[in-house]
Amino acid sequence: MPEIRAGEDLAERILEAAKKAGLRFEDGDVVAVAQKIVSKAEGAVIPLGTVKPSEKARGIAGELKKDARAIELVLQESRRILRSERVLITETKHGFVCANAGVDHSNVPGNDMVTLLPRDPDDSAEKLAKELSKRARKRIAVIVSDTFGRPWRLGLTNVAIGASGLPVLLDLRGTRDREGKPLTATVLAVADDLAAAAGLLMGKSEGTPVVIVRGYRYKPASEKAAQIIRPASEDLFR
């Protein structure tokens, strides 16, 4: 994929890249798209020189030895701060709990630019799925993925922050395992599984922000990735 800039037709760029790679879309393909290029296409790229940090941002930045302007953007993108010791963990306005509210310096041209998460990743996925399906004349689902850390586990993995056209959760409660025992709590986060698998091919420096997942069998659905966020009332760790 070429460098994506604000206002670009992301569906067209994906179709062009697929054609150049000798790939044809098929019914049922799931297109996993890195959040970074969605944010770039939507213009969610901010020059830090335009940001005036608040006193609160300056205080946190001093403790973390970070750029106060970037911290100010984190605060603007967040509902609340969960932790500001050693690392800044917040709940974003979308409801994601993650480091730095998704404000990111990586894979952005220039040393003074950062990207924000898309305003509505599910809406972004829906629009992209419609355009890809229309132009490719195939039934295509879309996952917008981002890299998240996980409590109590080392390493990062890609998860679905936006989705369109496929179930994001597979509820197996009420079914039975191979021994005939009833399943009472098993709900699989299949959109996250697909995002993580696609992340193995995306890498961080390969310039491959779009991956076609083929062969996963699913029934078309209008579920949103926001459904994966556990309600606060059911969260045992808050």
Side-chain angles (χ1 to χ4, degrees), residues 120-182:
D120 187 340
D122 281 315
D123 183 62
S124 301
E126 182 178 358
K127 290 177 179 176
L128 185 55
K130 286 181 178 179
E131 285 302 313
L132 287 173
S133 298
K134 177 182 177 180
R135 300 183 197 185
R137 297 182 180 180
K138 301 293 181 181
R139 177 173 52 82
I140 298 172
V142 167
I143 289 173
V144 176
S145 71
D146 196 10
T147 306
F148 274 41
R150 298 157 299 158
W152 305 297
R153 298 184 71 83
L154 295 175
L156 305 172
T157 187
N158 278 24
V159 302
I161 64 169
S164 178
L166 77 165
V168 298
L169 296 169
L170 180 59
D171 191 345
L172 298 179
R173 292 174 296 183
T175 64
R176 295 181 179 273
D177 66 13
R178 292 185 63 181
E179 301 297 324
K181 299 173 183 176

Side-chain angles (χ1 to χ4, degrees), residues 194-209:
L194 295 171
L200 295 174
L201 294 179
M202 287 181 180
K204 290 299 178 185
S205 59
E206 287 83 350
T208 309

Side-chain angles (χ1 to χ4, degrees), residues 54-94:
S54 62
E55 286 301 316
K56 184 174 183 179
R58 292 181 185 277
I60 295 173
E63 294 177 5
L64 298 177
K65 296 180 172 57
K66 300 288 186 180
D67 190 320
R69 300 169 300 175
I71 298 298
E72 176 61 30
L73 288 175
V74 172
L75 297 179
Q76 292 177 14
E77 293 293 298
S78 301
R79 291 176 180 169
R80 62 192 179 107
I81 296 173
L82 279 73
R83 182 188 180 109
S84 59
E85 298 173 3
R86 294 187 294 170
V87 64
L88 185 56
I89 304 294
T90 75
E91 179 181 350
T92 72
K93 293 178 179 179
H94 318 80

Side-chain angles (χ1 to χ4, degrees), residues 11-25:
E12 187 63 27
R13 294 292 171 268
I14 291 172
L15 291 167
E16 289 172 353
K19 183 178 180 180
K20 186 176 180 180
L23 298 171
R24 292 174 178 265
F25 287 98

Side-chain angles (χ1 to χ4, degrees), residues 1 3-4 10 14 31-46 77 92 94 96 98-108 114-122 124-125 128 142-148 157-163 195 198-199 202-204 208-211:
M1 293 282 290
E3 178 64 28
I4 300 299
L10 194 54
I14 291 172
V31 176
V33 182
Q35 158 270 320
K36 190 63 60 70
I37 66 169
V38 176
S39 292
K40 288 178 179 179
E42 294 180 356
V45 181
I46 308 297
E77 293 293 298
T92 72
H94 318 80
F96 307 134
C98 59
N100 302 316
V103 177
D104 193 2
H105 293 266
S106 66
N107 287 316
V108 184
V114 297
T115 56
L116 311 180
L117 295 179
R119 285 289 154 214
D120 187 340
D122 281 315
S124 301
L128 185 55
V142 167
I143 289 173
V144 176
S145 71
D146 196 10
T147 306
F148 274 41
T157 187
N158 278 24
V159 302
I161 64 169
M202 287 181 180
K204 290 299 178 185
T208 309
V210 181
V211 172

